[in-house]
Amino acid sequence: MRFVLNATALRFGGGLTIGREVVRRLSAVAPKHDFLVLVSPKFGYEQFGGKRVSVVGVEWPRMNAIQRLMWLNRDLPKICSDFGANALFSMGNMPSYCAKLPQVVLFHKSHYLYPEVVASLGLRL
């Protein structure tokens, strides 16, 4: 199978640590699959590329909000199609609403999905 991983938004703190660790282990946990990993350049992901893991830099931080939405919903689906991806793993909170393939989103802000937990703590969103 062929997978696209969108890790462009994982640039700092825990997100960066998790993103690099996932990319680092791809070859070991799924050696028969092909991966295209989209990252922000110069955050240490490039060193984990290999025979079946292609790491490509995307200038995500330089995009404004409208450009990011266009990239997620126009360019990313095209990248997935061109790569022949079977699935998309978006690792930084933002799905592509226009991608026509199965998609998993790593959502870091679970309090938006479970506001009752936040309310039970006496907090407001």
Side-chain angles (χ1 to χ4, degrees), residues 19-120:
R20 285 194 298 213
E21 195 61 18
V22 167
V23 176
R24 183 175 79 83
R25 296 187 181 269
L26 287 175
S27 295
V29 299
K32 296 180 181 177
H33 300 290
D34 295 309
F35 297 92
L36 174 61
V37 185
L38 306 171
V39 302
S40 290
K42 301 178 184 156
F43 283 91
Y45 288 97
E46 294 82 2
Q47 64 184 318
F48 303 122
K51 182 178 178 185
R52 301 192 81 146
V53 179
S54 300
V55 179
V56 176
V58 175
E59 292 295 333
W60 178 261
R62 294 185 184 181
M63 295 182 194
N64 64 38
I66 300 298
Q67 290 170 319
R68 288 178 185 182
L69 283 172
M70 288 176 53
W71 185 84
L72 284 166
N73 293 296
R74 182 192 63 205
D75 300 336
L76 183 56
K78 181 171 180 357
I79 291 168
C80 291
S81 177
D82 291 349
F83 183 66
N86 299 100
L88 169 62
F89 180 21
S90 292
M91 298 171 56
N93 293 321
M94 296 188 226
S96 172
Y97 296 104
C98 298
K100 305 264 191 258
L101 68 163
Q103 186 172 173
V104 174
V105 178
L106 180 59
F107 196 67
H108 301 262
K109 299 178 181 182
S110 59
H111 56 279
Y112 290 129
L113 300 176
Y114 301 102
E116 64 276 2
V117 174
V118 174
S120 72

